[in-house]
Structure formats: C-alpha cells, structure tokens
Amino acid sequence: MRALVTGAAGFIGSHLCAHLLACGDTVTGIDSFTDFYDPARKERNLRTLTGSPGFSLHRADLLTADLAPLVDGADAVYHLAGQPGVRPSWGAEFPLYTSRNVLATQVLLEAVRQHPAGKFVYASSSSVYGNAPVCPTAETVLPRPVSPYGITKLAGEHLCELYRQTFGVPAVSLRLFTVYGPRQRPDMALARLLHAASNGAPFPLYGDGEQTRDFTYVHDAVTAMREAARSAFTGIANLGGGSPVSMKQAISTVENIVGPVEILPLPTGPGDARHTSADITVATRELGYRPRTTLHDGILAMAREHPRP
Ligand code: NAD
C-alpha cells in the first residue's frame, strides 16, 4: 500500500510509519515540527525511518503545503497531525487547537475530495466523551467533551463524517485512549512518571490518583490503524487498551519496574475527565482488534529508554 501519514514525526506518527514500513508499505510523511515540545525529539523519533527505502518526509504545514501530489494515488491517508494536550487548550492557546485540529483536517479532507485517495484514517480521541455517563463507553454514547482540546477533536471527527456522507470519502475515526510506549510525548503522565522515577524529580499528580485511564500500547494502536485502512469499515471506533487502571496503580507499576517516585500532589485541572474506559466491541468486530500488550510490559518497554543514573 502507498500511505500518506500526517504528523509523521510525532509520537504515534513515527511508530505508525515504522509499522507500515515493516509491513512493506511505501510511506510519505508530512510534519511541520511544531514547537509544542522540543522539535529535536521529533528528529530523534524519525531516526530509524530516515534512510529506509520506501520512506520520504515533507517538512511542511498542512495548512500551506501543496497536498494534491501527496494525496493523489495514496491507498491510505492516516491523519495524525494535530495539537494534542488537554490542559494547555484553555485560554490563549486555543487558536493553535482550532487551526491544527480543525482547519488542517478540513484542508486535508478537501484535498482528498478533489484527488480521491483510498481510506482516510483519523486519529480521534477519547477526550470527545468528556465524563461519559457509562463506562466502558461505546461509540453510541453522546460525546460531551470537557476540554477545548476535546471540542476540536470532535469537530475533526464531524468533518470526517461530513465528507464521508456528502462526498463518499471513506473515512474512519479511531478514538484513541491514552496511548503510551517508547518515545511518548513528554507532557503525558507515564512519560513524566518514568522521568521522575529515573531522575528522582517529583511527579506532579493531578487529583487524588483514583482517576482511571484506559492506557493503550502504541504498537496495538498503530496495528489497528493499518487494519482500519485495509478494512471496508467506515465510521467511528474506540481503540482502548482493554483494562483501565487508576493513576495510583500506574504509579505503583512504574515503582515496581524502575523505583520509588516522589509525588507532588496538585489539584485536578479543568478538562481532566475522571474515568476513561473504552468499549472495544466495534474495533474487535470490524478490525479484528485485540490489545496485546499489558501495562506492565508496555511500561517495561518505556523504562528501557529511561535508565536510572
Ligand atoms: P505529537 O504532538 O507527538 O504528534 C503530532 C504531530 O503533528 C507533531 O509532530 C506536529 O509537529 C505535527 N503537526 C501538528 N500540526 C501540524 C500541521 N498543521 N501540519 C503538519 N504537521 C503538524 O502527538 P501524538 O501524541 O503523537 O498524537 C498524534 C495524534 O493522535 C494527534 O492528532 C492527537 O490529537 C491524537 N491522539 C493522541 C493520543 C495520545 O494518547 N497520544 C490520544 C488520542 C488522540
């Protein structure tokens, strides 16, 4: 398959590119190397990819790039470029979220409409649910985001559905639940936790630690993304790890693997959902999805890149 991956230099995008190449696909990546976190980390994310036969990278912003030659003839467009992060999405940063998550998605869908490509796979988010009334949460539950980030991811999903229903763009939105693994974004909880455990720095814990997350190992997530591109399925599917745990449990797993962590308790921020838990019936049925990596094994893989001094 010939694939286009937006956000190719990011955490999940770089894992997806590696997986596609390992499956024999030809991959064109596009990334603008935003400064949300140190762009040098993104260069490192790409280290194993650059030079691989079958991989090429465009350093460009979706909002200004000439997308026609990139989407034309692609068998799959994986749209991962975006502005992540719940807490910074309040206040003055919101325009970054609307331009990178909503406007960029619309521009890409327009390019795909005018130059039909194969499947369009959108990296949506569990944050669209907000504080869901039912856990595990199925796709039929009415999304009610509790953060500006969640609003923009939901708007991206609605655009995918709109272009699917109006113009026949074969779009799939995958609602990813807290993806983790090696090279995880440095602002995310497990990356901060492993950093704290290996460096002795305190770990800022927001809330009482009883909030739960359905941690999803990155290789399980990108495997399902490729299956979504190959399947006939269109619409919306959850991708969760299958066994939600509390932050306290996640902390004790890291402590067992790496060592003690000093906790710095902080109040819950606005926008933090209390519990996330995916009903993965649709992904299992339509994509053959089965999360394979336990939290223990996934954290072990992350710990290898955080050696204790
Ligand atoms: P990331 O920040 O590591 O990757 C996103 C990449 O997109 C970055 O490399 C950035 O430079 C690039 N980018 C942003 N705007 C761009 C634009 N206009 N043009 C070109 N490139 C642009 O984040 P991630 O954690 O890998 O997340 C990838 C996607 O998955 C995002 O859309 C995010 O909303 C979604 N998602 C992530 C998670 C998670 O747990 N990490 C959960 C749910 C959804």
PDB file of all heavy atoms in Angstrom, residues 173-211:
ATOM      1  N   SER A 173     -12.855   7.237  11.917  1.00  0.00           N
ATOM      2  CA  SER A 173     -12.300   7.966  13.062  1.00  0.00           C
ATOM      3  C   SER A 173     -12.051   6.960  14.172  1.00  0.00           C
ATOM      4  O   SER A 173     -12.980   6.268  14.608  1.00  0.00           O
ATOM      5  CB  SER A 173     -13.291   9.036  13.552  1.00  0.00           C
ATOM      6  OG  SER A 173     -13.421  10.058  12.591  1.00  0.00           O
ATOM      7  N   LEU A 174     -10.811   6.896  14.609  1.00  0.00           N
ATOM      8  CA  LEU A 174     -10.456   5.977  15.694  1.00  0.00           C
ATOM      9  C   LEU A 174     -10.266   6.798  16.959  1.00  0.00           C
ATOM     10  O   LEU A 174      -9.395   7.685  16.999  1.00  0.00           O
ATOM     11  CB  LEU A 174      -9.181   5.207  15.340  1.00  0.00           C
ATOM     12  CG  LEU A 174      -9.306   4.308  14.102  1.00  0.00           C
ATOM     13  CD1 LEU A 174      -7.959   3.698  13.740  1.00  0.00           C
ATOM     14  CD2 LEU A 174     -10.351   3.222  14.306  1.00  0.00           C
ATOM     15  N   ARG A 175     -11.088   6.529  17.957  1.00  0.00           N
ATOM     16  CA  ARG A 175     -10.994   7.277  19.226  1.00  0.00           C
ATOM     17  C   ARG A 175      -9.935   6.609  20.089  1.00  0.00           C
ATOM     18  O   ARG A 175     -10.184   5.581  20.725  1.00  0.00           O
ATOM     19  CB  ARG A 175     -12.366   7.297  19.922  1.00  0.00           C
ATOM     20  CG  ARG A 175     -13.372   8.134  19.142  1.00  0.00           C
ATOM     21  CD  ARG A 175     -14.738   8.149  19.794  1.00  0.00           C
ATOM     22  NE  ARG A 175     -15.623   9.071  19.082  1.00  0.00           N
ATOM     23  CZ  ARG A 175     -16.946   9.083  19.197  1.00  0.00           C
ATOM     24  NH1 ARG A 175     -17.554   8.228  20.013  1.00  0.00           N
ATOM     25  NH2 ARG A 175     -17.671   9.961  18.520  1.00  0.00           N
ATOM     26  N   LEU A 176      -8.745   7.216  20.095  1.00  0.00           N
ATOM     27  CA  LEU A 176      -7.609   6.643  20.817  1.00  0.00           C
ATOM     28  C   LEU A 176      -7.706   6.996  22.296  1.00  0.00           C
ATOM     29  O   LEU A 176      -7.963   8.150  22.658  1.00  0.00           O
ATOM     30  CB  LEU A 176      -6.291   7.185  20.257  1.00  0.00           C
ATOM     31  CG  LEU A 176      -6.079   7.077  18.748  1.00  0.00           C
ATOM     32  CD1 LEU A 176      -4.734   7.686  18.356  1.00  0.00           C
ATOM     33  CD2 LEU A 176      -6.142   5.631  18.293  1.00  0.00           C
ATOM     34  N   PHE A 177      -7.453   5.992  23.145  1.00  0.00           N
ATOM     35  CA  PHE A 177      -7.485   6.181  24.603  1.00  0.00           C
ATOM     36  C   PHE A 177      -6.047   6.166  25.127  1.00  0.00           C
ATOM     37  O   PHE A 177      -5.388   5.132  25.115  1.00  0.00           O
ATOM     38  CB  PHE A 177      -8.300   5.057  25.262  1.00  0.00           C
ATOM     39  CG  PHE A 177      -9.793   5.215  25.143  1.00  0.00           C
ATOM     40  CD1 PHE A 177     -10.426   5.164  23.920  1.00  0.00           C
ATOM     41  CD2 PHE A 177     -10.573   5.419  26.278  1.00  0.00           C
ATOM     42  CE1 PHE A 177     -11.803   5.311  23.808  1.00  0.00           C
ATOM     43  CE2 PHE A 177     -11.948   5.562  26.195  1.00  0.00           C
ATOM     44  CZ  PHE A 177     -12.567   5.510  24.952  1.00  0.00           C
ATOM     45  N   THR A 178      -5.561   7.303  25.602  1.00  0.00           N
ATOM     46  CA  THR A 178      -4.252   7.458  26.273  1.00  0.00           C
ATOM     47  C   THR A 178      -3.203   6.475  25.764  1.00  0.00           C
ATOM     48  O   THR A 178      -2.919   5.439  26.384  1.00  0.00           O
ATOM     49  CB  THR A 178      -4.400   7.318  27.806  1.00  0.00           C
ATOM     50  OG1 THR A 178      -5.577   7.982  28.233  1.00  0.00           O
ATOM     51  CG2 THR A 178      -3.200   7.932  28.513  1.00  0.00           C
ATOM     52  N   VAL A 179      -2.613   6.822  24.638  1.00  0.00           N
ATOM     53  CA  VAL A 179      -1.620   5.959  24.010  1.00  0.00           C
ATOM     54  C   VAL A 179      -0.270   6.148  24.716  1.00  0.00           C
ATOM     55  O   VAL A 179       0.113   7.265  25.061  1.00  0.00           O
ATOM     56  CB  VAL A 179      -1.512   6.290  22.511  1.00  0.00           C
ATOM     57  CG1 VAL A 179      -0.518   5.359  21.825  1.00  0.00           C
ATOM     58  CG2 VAL A 179      -2.891   6.177  21.846  1.00  0.00           C
ATOM     59  N   TYR A 180       0.436   5.041  24.956  1.00  0.00           N
ATOM     60  CA  TYR A 180       1.726   5.130  25.640  1.00  0.00           C
ATOM     61  C   TYR A 180       2.695   4.138  25.000  1.00  0.00           C
ATOM     62  O   TYR A 180       2.292   3.243  24.247  1.00  0.00           O
ATOM     63  CB  TYR A 180       1.571   4.843  27.145  1.00  0.00           C
ATOM     64  CG  TYR A 180       1.381   3.375  27.454  1.00  0.00           C
ATOM     65  CD1 TYR A 180       2.428   2.605  27.977  1.00  0.00           C
ATOM     66  CD2 TYR A 180       0.177   2.728  27.187  1.00  0.00           C
ATOM     67  CE1 TYR A 180       2.264   1.252  28.234  1.00  0.00           C
ATOM     68  CE2 TYR A 180       0.014   1.379  27.439  1.00  0.00           C
ATOM     69  CZ  TYR A 180       1.056   0.645  27.962  1.00  0.00           C
ATOM     70  OH  TYR A 180       0.896  -0.692  28.188  1.00  0.00           O
ATOM     71  N   GLY A 181       3.966   4.313  25.311  1.00  0.00           N
ATOM     72  CA  GLY A 181       5.001   3.445  24.778  1.00  0.00           C
ATOM     73  C   GLY A 181       6.275   4.257  24.625  1.00  0.00           C
ATOM     74  O   GLY A 181       6.305   5.449  24.964  1.00  0.00           O
ATOM     75  N   PRO A 182       7.342   3.633  24.122  1.00  0.00           N
ATOM     76  CA  PRO A 182       8.585   4.365  23.940  1.00  0.00           C
ATOM     77  C   PRO A 182       8.375   5.628  23.111  1.00  0.00           C
ATOM     78  O   PRO A 182       7.579   5.633  22.184  1.00  0.00           O
ATOM     79  CB  PRO A 182       9.472   3.357  23.187  1.00  0.00           C
ATOM     80  CG  PRO A 182       8.928   2.020  23.565  1.00  0.00           C
ATOM     81  CD  PRO A 182       7.444   2.218  23.731  1.00  0.00           C
ATOM     82  N   ARG A 183       9.067   6.676  23.470  1.00  0.00           N
ATOM     83  CA  ARG A 183       9.024   7.985  22.801  1.00  0.00           C
ATOM     84  C   ARG A 183       7.702   8.710  23.037  1.00  0.00           C
ATOM     85  O   ARG A 183       7.340   9.618  22.282  1.00  0.00           O
ATOM     86  CB  ARG A 183       9.300   7.863  21.295  1.00  0.00           C
ATOM     87  CG  ARG A 183      10.521   7.036  20.931  1.00  0.00           C
ATOM     88  CD  ARG A 183      10.984   7.305  19.508  1.00  0.00           C
ATOM     89  NE  ARG A 183       9.999   7.056  18.504  1.00  0.00           N
ATOM     90  CZ  ARG A 183       9.837   5.889  17.867  1.00  0.00           C
ATOM     91  NH1 ARG A 183      10.626   4.872  18.164  1.00  0.00           N
ATOM     92  NH2 ARG A 183       8.920   5.761  16.942  1.00  0.00           N
ATOM     93  N   GLN A 184       6.974   8.309  24.114  1.00  0.00           N
ATOM     94  CA  GLN A 184       5.716   9.012  24.402  1.00  0.00           C
ATOM     95  C   GLN A 184       5.969  10.513  24.578  1.00  0.00           C
ATOM     96  O   GLN A 184       7.033  10.916  25.071  1.00  0.00           O
ATOM     97  CB  GLN A 184       5.072   8.464  25.688  1.00  0.00           C
ATOM     98  CG  GLN A 184       3.638   8.945  25.871  1.00  0.00           C
ATOM     99  CD  GLN A 184       3.052   8.597  27.238  1.00  0.00           C
ATOM    100  OE1 GLN A 184       3.752   8.641  28.243  1.00  0.00           O
ATOM    101  NE2 GLN A 184       1.779   8.260  27.289  1.00  0.00           N
ATOM    102  N   ARG A 185       5.004  11.329  24.206  1.00  0.00           N
ATOM    103  CA  ARG A 185       5.136  12.788  24.357  1.00  0.00           C
ATOM    104  C   ARG A 185       5.529  13.129  25.788  1.00  0.00           C
ATOM    105  O   ARG A 185       4.971  12.561  26.738  1.00  0.00           O
ATOM    106  CB  ARG A 185       3.802  13.492  24.044  1.00  0.00           C
ATOM    107  CG  ARG A 185       3.434  13.542  22.601  1.00  0.00           C
ATOM    108  CD  ARG A 185       2.316  14.564  22.322  1.00  0.00           C
ATOM    109  NE  ARG A 185       1.547  14.941  23.463  1.00  0.00           N
ATOM    110  CZ  ARG A 185       0.304  14.486  23.748  1.00  0.00           C
ATOM    111  NH1 ARG A 185      -0.296  13.604  22.959  1.00  0.00           N
ATOM    112  NH2 ARG A 185      -0.345  14.916  24.795  1.00  0.00           N
ATOM    113  N   PRO A 186       6.462  14.082  25.954  1.00  0.00           N
ATOM    114  CA  PRO A 186       6.977  14.356  27.297  1.00  0.00           C
ATOM    115  C   PRO A 186       5.967  14.979  28.243  1.00  0.00           C
ATOM    116  O   PRO A 186       6.169  14.959  29.455  1.00  0.00           O
ATOM    117  CB  PRO A 186       8.145  15.325  27.036  1.00  0.00           C
ATOM    118  CG  PRO A 186       7.881  15.906  25.695  1.00  0.00           C
ATOM    119  CD  PRO A 186       7.134  14.877  24.910  1.00  0.00           C
ATOM    120  N   ASP A 187       4.858  15.510  27.723  1.00  0.00           N
ATOM    121  CA  ASP A 187       3.845  16.109  28.608  1.00  0.00           C
ATOM    122  C   ASP A 187       2.891  15.058  29.168  1.00  0.00           C
ATOM    123  O   ASP A 187       2.083  15.368  30.053  1.00  0.00           O
ATOM    124  CB  ASP A 187       3.025  17.162  27.832  1.00  0.00           C
ATOM    125  CG  ASP A 187       2.322  16.570  26.611  1.00  0.00           C
ATOM    126  OD1 ASP A 187       3.028  16.052  25.720  1.00  0.00           O
ATOM    127  OD2 ASP A 187       1.073  16.602  26.549  1.00  0.00           O
ATOM    128  N   MET A 188       2.955  13.822  28.681  1.00  0.00           N
ATOM    129  CA  MET A 188       1.967  12.812  29.095  1.00  0.00           C
ATOM    130  C   MET A 188       2.384  12.141  30.398  1.00  0.00           C
ATOM    131  O   MET A 188       3.571  12.049  30.735  1.00  0.00           O
ATOM    132  CB  MET A 188       1.771  11.787  27.979  1.00  0.00           C
ATOM    133  CG  MET A 188       1.154  12.431  26.734  1.00  0.00           C
ATOM    134  SD  MET A 188       0.728  11.247  25.460  1.00  0.00           S
ATOM    135  CE  MET A 188      -0.738  10.487  26.153  1.00  0.00           C
ATOM    136  N   ALA A 189       1.378  11.620  31.146  1.00  0.00           N
ATOM    137  CA  ALA A 189       1.615  11.200  32.528  1.00  0.00           C
ATOM    138  C   ALA A 189       2.682  10.104  32.651  1.00  0.00           C
ATOM    139  O   ALA A 189       3.588  10.226  33.486  1.00  0.00           O
ATOM    140  CB  ALA A 189       0.300  10.736  33.157  1.00  0.00           C
ATOM    141  N   LEU A 190       2.596   9.055  31.839  1.00  0.00           N
ATOM    142  CA  LEU A 190       3.561   7.964  32.030  1.00  0.00           C
ATOM    143  C   LEU A 190       4.982   8.404  31.698  1.00  0.00           C
ATOM    144  O   LEU A 190       5.932   8.004  32.374  1.00  0.00           O
ATOM    145  CB  LEU A 190       3.161   6.732  31.206  1.00  0.00           C
ATOM    146  CG  LEU A 190       1.941   5.961  31.710  1.00  0.00           C
ATOM    147  CD1 LEU A 190       1.673   4.729  30.845  1.00  0.00           C
ATOM    148  CD2 LEU A 190       2.091   5.534  33.167  1.00  0.00           C
ATOM    149  N   ALA A 191       5.139   9.236  30.664  1.00  0.00           N
ATOM    150  CA  ALA A 191       6.483   9.743  30.330  1.00  0.00           C
ATOM    151  C   ALA A 191       7.030  10.574  31.493  1.00  0.00           C
ATOM    152  O   ALA A 191       8.201  10.455  31.883  1.00  0.00           O
ATOM    153  CB  ALA A 191       6.443  10.571  29.054  1.00  0.00           C
ATOM    154  N   ARG A 192       6.170  11.411  32.102  1.00  0.00           N
ATOM    155  CA  ARG A 192       6.611  12.231  33.240  1.00  0.00           C
ATOM    156  C   ARG A 192       6.927  11.349  34.443  1.00  0.00           C
ATOM    157  O   ARG A 192       7.880  11.599  35.180  1.00  0.00           O
ATOM    158  CB  ARG A 192       5.530  13.266  33.594  1.00  0.00           C
ATOM    159  CG  ARG A 192       5.348  14.346  32.537  1.00  0.00           C
ATOM    160  CD  ARG A 192       4.402  15.451  32.982  1.00  0.00           C
ATOM    161  NE  ARG A 192       3.019  15.051  33.115  1.00  0.00           N
ATOM    162  CZ  ARG A 192       2.372  14.893  34.267  1.00  0.00           C
ATOM    163  NH1 ARG A 192       2.981  15.119  35.425  1.00  0.00           N
ATOM    164  NH2 ARG A 192       1.100  14.528  34.284  1.00  0.00           N
ATOM    165  N   LEU A 193       6.126  10.304  34.596  1.00  0.00           N
ATOM    166  CA  LEU A 193       6.310   9.389  35.728  1.00  0.00           C
ATOM    167  C   LEU A 193       7.644   8.636  35.609  1.00  0.00           C
ATOM    168  O   LEU A 193       8.406   8.529  36.576  1.00  0.00           O
ATOM    169  CB  LEU A 193       5.136   8.403  35.710  1.00  0.00           C
ATOM    170  CG  LEU A 193       4.784   7.594  36.927  1.00  0.00           C
ATOM    171  CD1 LEU A 193       4.758   8.414  38.188  1.00  0.00           C
ATOM    172  CD2 LEU A 193       3.399   6.961  36.696  1.00  0.00           C
ATOM    173  N   LEU A 194       7.920   8.151  34.416  1.00  0.00           N
ATOM    174  CA  LEU A 194       9.191   7.430  34.220  1.00  0.00           C
ATOM    175  C   LEU A 194      10.369   8.373  34.368  1.00  0.00           C
ATOM    176  O   LEU A 194      11.413   8.003  34.918  1.00  0.00           O
ATOM    177  CB  LEU A 194       9.202   6.751  32.847  1.00  0.00           C
ATOM    178  CG  LEU A 194       8.467   5.414  32.924  1.00  0.00           C
ATOM    179  CD1 LEU A 194       7.682   5.121  31.677  1.00  0.00           C
ATOM    180  CD2 LEU A 194       9.446   4.293  33.227  1.00  0.00           C
ATOM    181  N   HIS A 195      10.198   9.594  33.922  1.00  0.00           N
ATOM    182  CA  HIS A 195      11.255  10.591  34.084  1.00  0.00           C
ATOM    183  C   HIS A 195      11.514  10.825  35.576  1.00  0.00           C
ATOM    184  O   HIS A 195      12.661  10.837  36.030  1.00  0.00           O
ATOM    185  CB  HIS A 195      10.844  11.888  33.382  1.00  0.00           C
ATOM    186  CG  HIS A 195      11.848  12.983  33.514  1.00  0.00           C
ATOM    187  ND1 HIS A 195      13.018  12.992  32.783  1.00  0.00           N
ATOM    188  CD2 HIS A 195      11.871  14.083  34.305  1.00  0.00           C
ATOM    189  CE1 HIS A 195      13.721  14.067  33.125  1.00  0.00           C
ATOM    190  NE2 HIS A 195      13.051  14.743  34.044  1.00  0.00           N
ATOM    191  N   ALA A 196      10.401  10.953  36.329  1.00  0.00           N
ATOM    192  CA  ALA A 196      10.527  11.191  37.777  1.00  0.00           C
ATOM    193  C   ALA A 196      11.194  10.000  38.455  1.00  0.00           C
ATOM    194  O   ALA A 196      12.076  10.161  39.309  1.00  0.00           O
ATOM    195  CB  ALA A 196       9.151  11.458  38.387  1.00  0.00           C
ATOM    196  N   ALA A 197      10.785   8.784  38.071  1.00  0.00           N
ATOM    197  CA  ALA A 197      11.337   7.582  38.717  1.00  0.00           C
ATOM    198  C   ALA A 197      12.820   7.424  38.415  1.00  0.00           C
ATOM    199  O   ALA A 197      13.585   6.953  39.259  1.00  0.00           O
ATOM    200  CB  ALA A 197      10.580   6.346  38.242  1.00  0.00           C
ATOM    201  N   SER A 198      13.238   7.845  37.230  1.00  0.00           N
ATOM    202  CA  SER A 198      14.646   7.626  36.896  1.00  0.00           C
ATOM    203  C   SER A 198      15.542   8.781  37.313  1.00  0.00           C
ATOM    204  O   SER A 198      16.748   8.610  37.445  1.00  0.00           O
ATOM    205  CB  SER A 198      14.805   7.312  35.399  1.00  0.00           C
ATOM    206  OG  SER A 198      14.176   8.288  34.639  1.00  0.00           O
ATOM    207  N   ASN A 199      14.949   9.965  37.542  1.00  0.00           N
ATOM    208  CA  ASN A 199      15.784  11.126  37.894  1.00  0.00           C
ATOM    209  C   ASN A 199      15.607  11.612  39.324  1.00  0.00           C
ATOM    210  O   ASN A 199      16.291  12.527  39.750  1.00  0.00           O
ATOM    211  CB  ASN A 199      15.474  12.300  36.964  1.00  0.00           C
ATOM    212  CG  ASN A 199      15.960  12.020  35.572  1.00  0.00           C
ATOM    213  OD1 ASN A 199      17.149  11.843  35.365  1.00  0.00           O
ATOM    214  ND2 ASN A 199      15.054  11.943  34.641  1.00  0.00           N
ATOM    215  N   GLY A 200      14.618  11.057  40.033  1.00  0.00           N
ATOM    216  CA  GLY A 200      14.397  11.484  41.405  1.00  0.00           C
ATOM    217  C   GLY A 200      13.631  12.786  41.511  1.00  0.00           C
ATOM    218  O   GLY A 200      13.401  13.290  42.620  1.00  0.00           O
ATOM    219  N   ALA A 201      13.211  13.342  40.384  1.00  0.00           N
ATOM    220  CA  ALA A 201      12.425  14.584  40.428  1.00  0.00           C
ATOM    221  C   ALA A 201      11.001  14.253  40.869  1.00  0.00           C
ATOM    222  O   ALA A 201      10.517  13.151  40.607  1.00  0.00           O
ATOM    223  CB  ALA A 201      12.393  15.213  39.038  1.00  0.00           C
ATOM    224  N   PRO A 202      10.298  15.178  41.580  1.00  0.00           N
ATOM    225  CA  PRO A 202       8.932  14.872  41.996  1.00  0.00           C
ATOM    226  C   PRO A 202       7.991  14.760  40.799  1.00  0.00           C
ATOM    227  O   PRO A 202       8.187  15.425  39.789  1.00  0.00           O
ATOM    228  CB  PRO A 202       8.550  16.056  42.889  1.00  0.00           C
ATOM    229  CG  PRO A 202       9.601  17.077  42.728  1.00  0.00           C
ATOM    230  CD  PRO A 202      10.767  16.502  42.001  1.00  0.00           C
ATOM    231  N   PHE A 203       6.987  13.900  40.953  1.00  0.00           N
ATOM    232  CA  PHE A 203       5.980  13.712  39.896  1.00  0.00           C
ATOM    233  C   PHE A 203       4.718  14.480  40.280  1.00  0.00           C
ATOM    234  O   PHE A 203       4.074  14.152  41.284  1.00  0.00           O
ATOM    235  CB  PHE A 203       5.655  12.217  39.745  1.00  0.00           C
ATOM    236  CG  PHE A 203       4.462  11.953  38.867  1.00  0.00           C
ATOM    237  CD1 PHE A 203       4.537  12.165  37.493  1.00  0.00           C
ATOM    238  CD2 PHE A 203       3.260  11.495  39.398  1.00  0.00           C
ATOM    239  CE1 PHE A 203       3.437  11.931  36.674  1.00  0.00           C
ATOM    240  CE2 PHE A 203       2.160  11.259  38.581  1.00  0.00           C
ATOM    241  CZ  PHE A 203       2.249  11.473  37.220  1.00  0.00           C
ATOM    242  N   PRO A 204       4.351  15.523  39.509  1.00  0.00           N
ATOM    243  CA  PRO A 204       3.124  16.247  39.821  1.00  0.00           C
ATOM    244  C   PRO A 204       1.912  15.371  39.500  1.00  0.00           C
ATOM    245  O   PRO A 204       1.693  15.023  38.342  1.00  0.00           O
ATOM    246  CB  PRO A 204       3.167  17.472  38.889  1.00  0.00           C
ATOM    247  CG  PRO A 204       4.504  17.432  38.212  1.00  0.00           C
ATOM    248  CD  PRO A 204       5.007  16.036  38.305  1.00  0.00           C
ATOM    249  N   LEU A 205       1.162  14.990  40.534  1.00  0.00           N
ATOM    250  CA  LEU A 205      -0.034  14.153  40.347  1.00  0.00           C
ATOM    251  C   LEU A 205      -1.266  15.046  40.474  1.00  0.00           C
ATOM    252  O   LEU A 205      -1.521  15.608  41.545  1.00  0.00           O
ATOM    253  CB  LEU A 205      -0.079  13.040  41.399  1.00  0.00           C
ATOM    254  CG  LEU A 205      -1.361  12.200  41.415  1.00  0.00           C
ATOM    255  CD1 LEU A 205      -1.511  11.391  40.121  1.00  0.00           C
ATOM    256  CD2 LEU A 205      -1.376  11.251  42.619  1.00  0.00           C
ATOM    257  N   TYR A 206      -2.004  15.162  39.384  1.00  0.00           N
ATOM    258  CA  TYR A 206      -3.216  15.986  39.395  1.00  0.00           C
ATOM    259  C   TYR A 206      -4.373  15.159  39.948  1.00  0.00           C
ATOM    260  O   TYR A 206      -4.665  14.086  39.445  1.00  0.00           O
ATOM    261  CB  TYR A 206      -3.539  16.482  37.983  1.00  0.00           C
ATOM    262  CG  TYR A 206      -2.465  17.383  37.418  1.00  0.00           C
ATOM    263  CD1 TYR A 206      -1.440  16.862  36.622  1.00  0.00           C
ATOM    264  CD2 TYR A 206      -2.439  18.744  37.707  1.00  0.00           C
ATOM    265  CE1 TYR A 206      -0.437  17.676  36.120  1.00  0.00           C
ATOM    266  CE2 TYR A 206      -1.437  19.570  37.210  1.00  0.00           C
ATOM    267  CZ  TYR A 206      -0.443  19.034  36.416  1.00  0.00           C
ATOM    268  OH  TYR A 206       0.558  19.835  35.928  1.00  0.00           O
ATOM    269  N   GLY A 207      -5.002  15.629  41.022  1.00  0.00           N
ATOM    270  CA  GLY A 207      -6.149  14.917  41.599  1.00  0.00           C
ATOM    271  C   GLY A 207      -5.699  13.879  42.611  1.00  0.00           C
ATOM    272  O   GLY A 207      -4.533  13.830  43.021  1.00  0.00           O
ATOM    273  N   ASP A 208      -6.665  12.992  42.999  1.00  0.00           N
ATOM    274  CA  ASP A 208      -6.415  12.053  44.101  1.00  0.00           C
ATOM    275  C   ASP A 208      -5.776  10.739  43.663  1.00  0.00           C
ATOM    276  O   ASP A 208      -5.538   9.853  44.494  1.00  0.00           O
ATOM    277  CB  ASP A 208      -7.730  11.784  44.857  1.00  0.00           C
ATOM    278  CG  ASP A 208      -8.797  11.168  43.943  1.00  0.00           C
ATOM    279  OD1 ASP A 208      -8.472  10.838  42.776  1.00  0.00           O
ATOM    280  OD2 ASP A 208      -9.948  11.030  44.384  1.00  0.00           O
ATOM    281  N   GLY A 209      -5.535  10.584  42.379  1.00  0.00           N
ATOM    282  CA  GLY A 209      -4.892   9.352  41.890  1.00  0.00           C
ATOM    283  C   GLY A 209      -5.881   8.228  41.642  1.00  0.00           C
ATOM    284  O   GLY A 209      -5.507   7.165  41.162  1.00  0.00           O
ATOM    285  N   GLU A 210      -7.157   8.456  41.970  1.00  0.00           N
ATOM    286  CA  GLU A 210      -8.173   7.411  41.747  1.00  0.00           C
ATOM    287  C   GLU A 210      -8.787   7.520  40.343  1.00  0.00           C
ATOM    288  O   GLU A 210      -9.573   6.662  39.943  1.00  0.00           O
ATOM    289  CB  GLU A 210      -9.301   7.495  42.794  1.00  0.00           C
ATOM    290  CG  GLU A 210      -8.854   7.261  44.226  1.00  0.00           C
ATOM    291  CD  GLU A 210      -8.291   5.858  44.468  1.00  0.00           C
ATOM    292  OE1 GLU A 210      -8.505   4.966  43.622  1.00  0.00           O
ATOM    293  OE2 GLU A 210      -7.613   5.679  45.493  1.00  0.00           O
ATOM    294  N   GLN A 211      -8.433   8.581  39.594  1.00  0.00           N
ATOM    295  CA  GLN A 211      -8.934   8.678  38.225  1.00  0.00           C
ATOM    296  C   GLN A 211      -8.358   7.522  37.409  1.00  0.00           C
ATOM    297  O   GLN A 211      -7.217   7.116  37.634  1.00  0.00           O
ATOM    298  CB  GLN A 211      -8.573  10.045  37.601  1.00  0.00           C
ATOM    299  CG  GLN A 211      -7.103  10.327  37.367  1.00  0.00           C
ATOM    300  CD  GLN A 211      -6.411  10.969  38.560  1.00  0.00           C
ATOM    301  OE1 GLN A 211      -6.707  10.650  39.702  1.00  0.00           O
ATOM    302  NE2 GLN A 211      -5.456  11.851  38.300  1.00  0.00           N
TER     303      GLN A 211
END
